[in-house]
Amino acid sequence: MHAKAIRAHNPPVVVDPHDGLAHRALDLGLHFKARPEIFGRRSTAGEIRDLLVTDLPIEPMAGEAVLADFVDRVLPLCKYEASPRFMGFGDTGDDQLALAGSVLATLTQQNMINQSFDSPSATFIEITVLRWLRELLGYVNPMVGNVNTVWDVGGIITPGGTTSNTVAMMLAREAKAPGTMHSGVADPSRFAVVVPRGVGHYSVKAALTWIGCGAHVIEVATDGFRYNTDELVRTLREHGDRVMAVVAYAGDSRTQTVDDLRAVHDLVRAIDPTIWLHADACWGLLAAFSPNLRDKIDGIAGFESITVDPHKIMAVPYGLSALLVRDPAALRTISTYSGGCR
Ligand SMILES: Cc1ncc(COP(=O)(O)O)c(C=O)c1O
């Protein structure tokens, strides 16, 4: 049945803004965010499995009962990462304004499939976020009046740093062997990626396997969690044309060390200017907001691509990463079109 005909048979339920259920759900969430404890209750994985993993219910459940069931069985076991007693991760998601934005994004539910018909304003908000992130890191933006297509933006939003790094590796692959997107990888050994040993995040190796390049990761020795630059030079000379990209970390996951990005940039460029330089600044984006820390990421704007993770360092409560590219048009090389297929 056609979608419109289905709707005629099942008219959409209009949300009543005075219905208490949504308000109570919001209150529950806000009280959760205000509690001091990390955990409400602890149980073993087996106990939680037996409590929560069920078969499809035979009887339907009313909204009130679903909420009560959530409060009873699920909520006490939820972990609160923004608790002042927890220091494990940065992804706390407790910025008030970001929480408000998240609620409004859920309720307004703009369909980002296209600007003209489905998201008249949201598309431009997304572009603005990408432009702000670019500007923070020193990438040059086109004038607003020259932003006419997606190719004029210079970045994409993704659900996480892993996906952003994967997109970066796809870009590196296309830069190294244009058209691989369509023809497939011919000689995987030409797509090796250099990372600092013990610092490189697993997402780069995973990305290379996902995009068909094979797990050709070359690890270079480090000093104080930064590239040993002599070793980096030696490695690049030794592997020559095999190297597709060099990845440097602006804030590694464990120590938060920021590499000497300018030095890495300059020496890679001097040896082979065609190597794709990618900066993983999932954590290092933080430095861009502080006049005192800004010099730590000096040189980052010389890299071809940068991953940033606002969900790690900006306390936003939803998954939000971005892959930014120095040359906005580079994203054309990894695009596909829906024309002809349904
Ligand atoms: C340096 C670095 N890169 C990439 C990632 C992957 O990010 P995400 O978990 O958002 O996919 C992480 C996550 O911890 C990270 O620390």
Side-chain angles (χ1 to χ4, degrees):
M1 204 189 289
H2 191 272
K4 277 191 185 143
I6 294 173
R7 253 186 241 140
H9 283 274
N10 304 291
V13 180
V14 178
V15 174
D16 173 4
H18 302 296
D19 177 7
L21 196 72
H23 287 270
R24 282 205 305 290
L26 197 55
D27 279 343
L28 272 176
L30 291 173
H31 279 107
F32 177 79
K33 284 281 185 203
R35 83 179 197 194
E37 300 87 24
I38 304 171
F39 293 100
R41 194 170 73 220
R42 302 301 307 264
S43 298
T44 65
E47 287 164 347
I48 300 174
R49 178 200 61 202
D50 295 345
L51 179 71
L52 299 180
V53 181
T54 63
D55 295 329
L56 180 69
I58 307 288
E59 298 294 331
M61 212 173 174
E64 292 293 340
V66 173
L67 207 58
D69 186 42
F70 174 76
V71 171
D72 186 40
R73 286 194 304 149
V74 182
L75 193 58
L77 292 159
C78 288
K79 178 188 170 198
Y80 178 39
E81 300 237 316
S83 162
R85 298 175 190 164
F86 181 69
M87 288 185 65
F89 296 110
D91 341 31
T92 54
D94 58 340
D95 179 82
Q96 292 274 2
L97 203 51
L99 280 165
S102 173
V103 170
L104 290 173
T106 301
L107 293 175
T108 53
Q109 201 194 344
Q110 297 298 283
N111 182 347
M112 304 288 283
I113 192 168
N114 62 50
Q115 183 277 327
S116 56
F117 182 66
D118 287 297
S119 61
S121 56
T123 296
F124 289 112
I125 294 300
E126 182 173 302
I127 290 173
T128 303
V129 169
L130 288 163
R131 286 172 64 92
W132 286 3
L133 290 169
R134 289 173 55 85
E135 200 175 325
L136 274 165
L137 294 162
Y139 278 167
V140 178
N141 281 323
M143 305 272 285
V144 172
N146 291 336
V147 178
N148 297 312
T149 75
V150 68
W151 315 121
D152 304 320
V153 178
I156 57 170
I157 297 290
T158 80
T162 304
T163 314
S164 296
N165 284 342
T166 304
V167 175
M169 293 302 103
M170 286 170 68
L171 287 163
R173 188 194 64 194
E174 291 311 299
K176 172 91 181 195
T180 302
M181 192 62 187
H182 297 284
S183 59
V185 174
D187 177 3
S189 67
R190 292 173 59 217
F191 298 101
V193 173
V194 171
V195 300
R197 181 172 297 130
V199 170
H201 190 262
Y202 61 80
S203 53
V204 169
K205 193 172 189 176
L208 293 176
T209 58
W210 294 332
I211 67 170
C213 290
H216 297 286
V217 168
I218 302 171
E219 294 187 315
V220 170
T222 55
D223 283 332
F225 308 104
R226 296 185 178 89
Y227 274 116
N228 173 317
T229 45
D230 291 341
E231 279 299 302
L232 181 55
V233 170
R234 195 190 58 70
T235 305
L236 294 178
R237 295 223 164 100
E238 180 187 332
H239 292 277
D241 189 45
R242 279 191 65 216
V243 178
M244 153 175 104
V246 171
V247 180
Y249 287 81
D252 82 86
S253 321
R254 295 184 191 89
T255 69
Q256 302 286 305
T257 308
V258 179
D259 217 314
D260 185 342
L261 300 173
R262 187 166 293 285
V264 171
H265 168 274
D266 290 353
L267 73 82
V268 173
R269 285 277 183 272
I271 292 174
D272 182 349
T274 68
I275 289 175
W276 187 273
L277 276 168
H278 175 63
D280 182 330
C282 279
W283 295 100
L285 171 65
L286 193 70
F289 291 96
S290 158
N292 293 336
L293 298 176
R294 182 67 184 72
D295 65 343
K296 282 195 176 292
I297 54 169
D298 177 52
I300 199 166
F303 282 56
E304 265 79 34
S305 55
I306 308 173
T307 291
V308 291
D309 256 10
H311 66 204
K312 287 193 180 22
I313 59 113
M314 291 177 72
V316 297
Y318 38 83
L320 180 64
S321 177
L323 189 271
L324 309 170
V325 284
R326 193 161 52 99
D327 171 15
L331 287 169
R332 274 183 194 274
T333 63
I334 56 162
S335 296
T336 55
Y337 300 89
S338 55
C341 295
R342 293 279 175 265

